Amino acid sequence: MSASAVFILDVKGKPLISRNYKGDVAMSEIEHFMPLLMQREEEGALAPLMSHGRVHFLWIKYSNLYLVATTLKNANASLVYSFLYKTVETTDSKILQEYITQQGNKLETGKSRVPPTVTNAVSWRSEGIKYKKNEVFIDVIESVNLLVNANGSVLLSEIVGTIKLKVFLSGMPELRLGLNDRVLFELTGLSGSKNKSVELEDVKFHQCVRLSRFDNDRTISFIPPDGDFELMSYRLSTQVKPLIWIESVIEKFSHSRVEIMVKAKGQFKKQSVANSVEISVPVPSDADSPRFKTSVGSAKYMPEKNVVIWSIKSFPGGKEYLMRAHFGLPSVEKEEVEGRPPIGVKFEIPYFTVSGIQVRYMKIIEKSGYQALPWVRYITQSGDYQLRTS
């Protein structure tokens, strides 16, 4: 082990678990890690390796935890990072639940219970799982990040996707997932006008996926954990047509009142419906006496956030809706030093993916030969979705 000590810290930098391997670095040195991290963040100089005096901190962030290794000398950094990432992989929550229970156990001398998953080649799944009904539920969820500037130009657009599984399968099944992956289509000669494909970037897999198979022939092959887990994530940096387009006009009258008109249009196919749409419209901080008129949905003023939230329960594709908001202003006009904050939009469109990704098949192979049903659901939702207005 190249590191002197390894720590797992919470999001505030408090040590939860630590292990001192060499004893050549004081364990109290970890107290310098979080102040150093915050200082580097403020300076915009954040790096995976930071130093305090003679002590080096090599760290990664996972969920709301920091995994930090300390070392004094010129350690093998790649080995240390490999160890940190492997630590994340092997501390699977489903396996830890086998150790940590709410049940009391009587300790018998000479006998110890080791969860079978520890000795299995497949450490993330227990032996002997049985279900009366064998099913797999597949959720393909895509979040759209979008930033549009005041003249209507798209400055940033990307799709961040995840494929989540809920597995209720007996035994030790092997699953193979087929997607309309462009690289796979080119390898197998399926690419063409009839076969629509998508080019996946930054693909990350759960540890159960056989990476060598994917690298060789793009086959997603795995023995799944039991229950819920995220199989993979991906990104697409292709230009996305804004699914919900917003136009806004603000008018001031005699310095005593202001009117804001907002037009929202669904720019997705007419067969689809966006649910739980929320449009956050910024208003002047000194506005009062709100009045609203909406062609659909309802509007609510939230003075603590200086926004009007226009809520639309069901927004079909191709539809266009209007909202007008009237506010009073103080008699002394307040100069707006900065431009208006952007309008934010939240939404969810079921049975639809903006990228066009498709689950072509899910093969389930288990030695007992049972039949299992795979169910697929597609959802597109808003990520960081903002439109600036003049």
Side-chain angles (χ1 to χ4, degrees):
M1 178 65 187
S2 299
S4 298
V6 173
F7 299 82
I8 298 178
L9 313 178
D10 68 12
V11 74
K12 294 181 180 178
K14 181 185 174 185
L16 302 173
I17 303 172
S18 62
R19 175 73 184 270
N20 192 347
Y21 289 97
K22 294 184 177 177
D24 58 349
V25 174
M27 297 297 276
S28 59
E29 284 288 341
I30 197 65
E31 294 170 13
H32 300 294
F33 172 75
M34 191 53 70
L36 195 60
L37 185 79
M38 293 172 73
Q39 180 190 336
R40 290 289 185 89
E41 265 188 325
E42 287 174 10
E43 294 170 354
L46 205 55
L49 190 151
M50 303 185 297
S51 301
H52 178 264
R54 294 169 59 234
V55 178
H56 306 298
F57 299 104
L58 293 84
W59 65 279
I60 62 172
K61 188 176 183 186
Y62 176 74
S63 190
N64 286 328
L65 299 174
Y66 292 97
L67 282 77
V68 186
T70 59
T71 181
L72 272 182
K73 55 187 179 182
N74 188 18
N76 184 332
S78 61
L79 193 62
V80 174
Y81 286 117
S82 176
F83 177 81
L84 294 178
Y85 282 111
K86 196 67 182 172
T87 301
V88 169
E89 284 184 13
T90 53
T91 50
D92 188 286
S93 62
K94 295 184 187 304
I95 307 310
L96 291 177
Q97 283 167 15
E98 296 196 23
Y99 285 101
I100 306 164
T101 70
Q102 299 298 313
Q103 300 168 351
N105 287 311
K106 184 180 178 182
L107 182 65
E108 293 182 29
T109 309
K111 292 183 179 179
S112 62
R113 178 188 169 270
V114 178
T117 45
V118 175
T119 53
N120 276 355
V122 183
S123 62
W124 54 87
R125 185 179 179 90
S126 298
E127 296 272 6
I129 295 171
K130 288 183 181 178
Y131 286 101
K132 287 183 179 178
K133 191 175 184 182
N134 291 287
E135 295 177 301
V136 179
F137 296 88
I138 307 164
D139 277 351
V140 181
I141 303 164
E142 292 192 336
S143 295
V144 179
N145 296 330
L146 184 83
L147 179 60
V148 177
N149 70 7
N151 64 17
S153 299
V154 176
L155 299 179
L156 177 149
S157 78
E158 68 171 3
I159 302 160
V160 178
T162 57
I163 297 181
K164 296 182 178 180
L165 267 60
K166 193 174 281 190
V167 176
F168 304 108
L169 295 175
S170 305
M172 277 286 176
E174 181 175 328
L175 275 57
R176 288 176 196 161
L177 178 70
L179 303 172
N180 57 335
D181 170 16
R182 185 162 299 165
V183 178
L184 172 65
F185 275 28
E186 287 169 357
L187 283 172
T188 54
L190 284 171
S191 52
S193 57
K194 289 183 180 179
N195 297 308
K196 290 183 180 178
S197 61
V198 294
E199 191 166 347
L200 305 177
E201 302 169 35
D202 296 342
V203 181
K204 295 183 178 69
F205 288 112
H206 186 275
Q207 60 168 321
C208 67
V209 175
R210 296 187 176 94
L211 294 181
S212 57
R213 285 284 314 261
F214 183 76
D215 291 340
N216 287 338
D217 58 14
R218 304 293 279 195
T219 299
I220 302 170
S221 173
F222 56 99
I223 295 172
D226 189 41
D228 297 0
F229 74 103
E230 185 176 299
L231 176 70
M232 63 181 283
S233 64
Y234 59 89
R235 186 178 61 84
L236 292 141
S237 55
T238 51
Q239 193 78 3
V240 181
K241 184 181 181 182
L243 296 172
I244 295 181
W245 182 255
I246 304 291
E247 292 176 24
S248 172
V249 177
I250 183 166
E251 284 188 83
K252 289 187 178 180
F253 300 92
S254 66
H255 310 307
S256 61
R257 64 187 178 93
V258 65
E259 180 179 304
I260 301 170
M261 189 276 288
V262 178
K263 182 164 70 174
K265 184 177 181 182
Q267 297 192 143
F268 46 93
K269 59 184 183 181
K270 292 179 181 178
Q271 304 96 302
S272 295
V273 176
N275 296 329
S276 306
V277 177
E278 281 191 2
I279 301 166
S280 301
V281 184
V283 299
S285 57
D286 53 346
D288 59 25
S289 311
R291 289 186 294 119
F292 307 110
K293 189 176 180 181
T294 61
S295 62
V296 71
S298 61
K300 182 182 179 183
Y301 179 40
M302 301 185 73
E304 71 279 7
K305 294 183 179 177
N306 297 321
V307 295
V308 170
I309 303 291
W310 180 17
S311 300
I312 304 168
K313 193 174 180 180
S314 181
F315 195 140
K319 292 289 185 181
E320 191 172 291
Y321 298 123
L322 286 173
M323 188 270 287
R324 292 181 187 272
H326 297 261
F327 290 91
L329 292 175
S331 54
V332 179
E333 185 180 10
K334 198 173 180 179
E335 288 293 325
E336 288 190 30
V337 180
E338 297 178 3
R340 289 177 67 202
I343 290 175
V345 186
K346 291 181 181 178
F347 58 85
E348 188 171 278
I349 308 174
Y351 318 112
F352 173 79
T353 59
V354 68
S355 73
I357 194 171
Q358 289 178 344
V359 173
R360 294 171 56 237
Y361 62 81
M362 169 67 88
K363 292 179 182 174
I364 302 164
I365 305 152
E366 212 278 331
K367 62 182 179 183
S368 65
Y370 60 71
Q371 295 297 306
L373 293 170
W375 305 91
V376 185
R377 181 172 63 168
Y378 299 96
I379 303 167
T380 290
Q381 60 191 22
S382 56
D384 188 6
Y385 193 105
Q386 298 184 339
L387 301 97
R388 296 194 176 276
T389 55
S390 53

